[in-house]
């Protein structure tokens, strides 16, 4: 099969590699149709790592994917050949303490599609995954929509994990694809107001279409002062989706006493700091969001029922052969890029 191999930082080669094989009875061979380019892929692309997860070259990235079932193992009952599916990229062991307590997303033996030394990713023609990772979609759902279910599931999980009372005030710091997905989910909830920040004006423009109470660029305006003027009692919940140190500090300042900081973004650095006195005086709760847990079907349902439409998030499309171009575009935030899709035909 054809695959986009990451062979060094910022370097791809499109090459023929052996097809993956069905090994276990529960395995499904999937023909990939679309793969989304994710911010986390960018870390592997530009620096070759996220924390202790270090890429060994050559490596196939990509975890936001959808496709068609090509072949199934003897024990597969969940899907059949020809069926169109969304993919849940996390393969958990089902046996460890975490899995047994329903925390499959922090499984001790978790293997994640397109994560170094775990599983090769989906920027190729075929992948093999257990049947539990295959989610059938209806005929009218496009492969792009099915691919968007992965970031949307993270947003569903982030909102589920947050203590969001009726009429709460919320802010999203960083409205890239994940922040925008959180915004879409918040719009299905009874939230009084949503304020958003981003350093990229094109992203603020996209967010403005979802009617935030306030949207601004922290490079140009005093975010604390301006949001403080319209929300004098400050925020109940903040979704930090940028991974940026300055945004984390702004979040602590923007939260009301007893507020909750949801850490959703992935920092590029190994350590971040907190304004400890403000954090403790206000008794801020910090909640980390590790990808998602049991939210793939919920994300599919939100798109299927048309409660959420995220089609406009997709700004760019490339064939597999142009993977280098796609990653270069996303890494440099060029052309108002939000979500880029790689199409494989
Ligand atoms: Zn992702
Ligand atoms: Zn486990």
């Amino acid at each position: 099969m054809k695959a986009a191999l990451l062979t060094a930082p910022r370097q791809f080669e499109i090459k023929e590699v052996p097809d993956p094989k069905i090994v276990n009875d529960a395995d499904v061979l999937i023909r990939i149709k679309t793969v989304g380019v994710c911010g986390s892929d960018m870390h592997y692309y530009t620096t070759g790592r996220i924390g202790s997860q270090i890429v060994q070259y050559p490596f196939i990235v990509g975890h936001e994917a959808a496709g068609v079932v090509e072949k199934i193992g003897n024990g597969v009952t969940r899907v059949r050949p020809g069926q169109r599916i969304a993919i849940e990229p996390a393969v958990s062991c089902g046996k460890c303490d975490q899995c047994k307590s329903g925390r499959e997303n922090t499984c001790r033996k978790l293997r994640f599609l397109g994560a170094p030394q775990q599983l090769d990713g989906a920027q190729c023609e075929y992948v093999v995954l257990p049947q539990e990772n295959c989610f059938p979609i209806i005929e009218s759902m496009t492969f792009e929509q099915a691919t968007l279910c992965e970031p949307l599931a993270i947003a569903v999980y982030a909102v589920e994990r947050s203590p969001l009372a009726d009429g709460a005030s919320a802010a999203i710091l960083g409205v890239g694809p994940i922040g925008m997905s959180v915004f879409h989910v918040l719009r299905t909830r009874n939230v009084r107001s949503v304020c958003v920040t981003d350093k990229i004006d094109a992203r603020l423009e996209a967010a403005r279409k979802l009617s935030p109470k306030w949207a601004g660029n922290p490079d140009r305006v005093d975010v604390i002062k301006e949001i403080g003027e319209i929300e004098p009692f400050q925020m109940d919940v903040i979704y930090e989706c940028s991974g940026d140190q300055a945004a984390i500090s702004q979040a602590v300042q923007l939260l009301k006493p007893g507020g909750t900081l949801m850490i959703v973004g992935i920092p590029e650095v190994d350590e971040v700091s907190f304004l400890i006195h403000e954090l403790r005086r206000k008794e801020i709760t910090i909640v980390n969001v590790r990808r998602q847990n049991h939210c793939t079907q919920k994300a599919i349902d939100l798109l299927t029922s048309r409660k959420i439409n995220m089609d406009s998030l997709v700004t760019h499309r490339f064939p597999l052969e142009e993977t280098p171009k796609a990653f270069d575009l996303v890494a440099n935030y060029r052309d108002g890029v939000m979500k880029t899709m790689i199409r494989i035909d």
Side-chain angles (χ1 to χ4, degrees):
M1 67 168 178
K2 241 189 289 172
L5 296 174
L6 190 60
T7 53
R10 294 178 188 267
Q11 217 167 313
F12 278 107
E13 280 176 41
I14 314 300
K15 265 192 171 164
E16 278 294 323
V17 299
D19 285 356
K21 297 247 174 329
I22 288 184
V23 181
N24 302 311
D25 280 352
D27 282 349
V28 177
L29 178 68
I30 305 157
R31 183 155 45 91
I32 300 293
K33 300 293 278 185
T34 49
V35 196
V37 178
C38 174
S40 64
D41 300 332
M42 280 307 124
H43 293 269
Y44 299 136
Y45 173 66
T46 55
T47 66
R49 64 187 275 255
I50 297 178
S52 58
Q53 287 183 310
I54 298 164
V55 172
Q56 288 183 343
Y57 303 104
F59 174 61
I60 305 176
V61 295
H63 58 273
E64 303 175 357
V68 178
V69 174
E70 182 82 8
K71 221 170 128 188
I72 55 174
N74 290 330
V76 171
T77 52
R78 194 177 153 89
V79 290
R80 51 186 159 66
Q83 206 160 21
R84 302 161 75 251
I85 57 165
I87 291 171
E88 139 83 70
V91 181
S92 50
C93 79
K95 294 186 188 115
C96 72
D97 61 323
Q98 298 295 300
C99 286
K100 281 192 169 150
S101 61
R103 296 186 48 91
E104 286 87 345
N105 60 326
T106 52
C107 168
R108 306 267 181 184
K109 289 184 178 162
L110 191 84
R111 292 179 306 143
F112 195 82
L113 198 63
Q117 290 151 67
Q118 294 177 20
L119 291 173
D120 269 336
Q123 286 194 356
C124 56
E125 289 178 289
Y126 296 98
V127 300
V128 167
L129 283 169
Q131 60 175 341
E132 291 77 23
N133 293 72
C134 303
F135 287 75
I137 55 169
I138 60 169
E139 215 41 52
S140 61
M141 180 176 271
T142 66
F143 288 115
E144 282 189 0
Q145 289 166 338
T147 300
L148 289 172
C149 287
E150 201 275 337
L152 179 57
I154 293 168
V156 171
Y157 184 57
V159 172
E160 256 184 22
R161 264 173 85 66
S162 60
L164 203 64
D166 275 354
S169 54
I172 305 168
L173 310 187
V175 277
I178 293 289
M180 284 295 283
S181 301
V182 169
F183 201 167
H184 277 285
V185 177
L186 286 180
R187 276 159 48 97
T188 68
R189 303 299 186 94
N190 186 13
V191 175
R192 185 167 54 80
S193 66
V194 178
C195 294
V196 304
T197 68
D198 204 289
K199 294 184 169 189
I200 300 169
D201 288 329
R203 294 192 165 179
L204 286 175
E205 266 331 294
R208 280 196 183 102
K209 297 201 171 95
L210 302 185
S211 318
K213 181 148 187 195
W214 183 90
N217 184 332
D219 282 342
R220 273 194 251 115
V221 296
D222 185 338
V223 170
I224 311 296
K225 184 168 164 279
E226 293 213 7
I227 296 182
E229 276 164 17
I230 54 163
E231 287 288 351
F233 286 104
Q234 301 168 300
M235 303 292 156
D236 293 291
V237 182
I238 293 186
Y239 303 87
E240 202 306 294
C241 298
S242 71
D244 183 53
Q245 172 68 67
I248 291 168
S249 296
Q250 284 155 12
V252 173
Q253 291 170 274
L254 287 168
L255 280 164
K256 67 168 62 166
T260 302
L261 169 57
M262 305 297 300
I263 304 275
V264 191
I266 303 176
E268 204 157 274
V269 294
D270 291 338
E271 282 186 22
V272 295
S273 62
F274 291 93
L275 302 167
I276 185 63
H277 298 301
E278 191 148 1
L279 200 64
R280 68 182 182 80
R281 280 190 205 113
K282 293 203 281 195
E283 254 189 355
I284 304 286
T285 302
I286 299 176
V287 179
N288 281 279
V289 175
R290 178 53 169 162
R291 296 183 184 131
Q292 57 93 9
N293 198 19
H294 302 290
C295 287
T296 299
Q297 190 59 52
K298 291 174 191 170
I300 293 170
D301 293 345
L302 280 169
L303 292 187
T304 303
S305 65
R306 299 182 197 272
K307 282 197 181 116
I308 289 179
N309 182 335
M310 302 209 301
D311 290 354
S312 61
L313 277 194
V314 182
T315 50
H316 294 76
R317 297 166 178 89
F318 294 91
L320 185 66
E321 290 71 18
E322 290 182 19
T323 299
K325 229 171 146 179
F327 273 66
D328 186 59
L329 175 95
V330 178
N332 294 296
Y333 300 97
R334 267 205 291 276
D335 261 0
V337 64
M338 183 65 86
K339 177 57 76 183
T340 294
M341 291 283 176
I342 309 272
R343 286 177 165 177
I344 302 163
D345 289 304

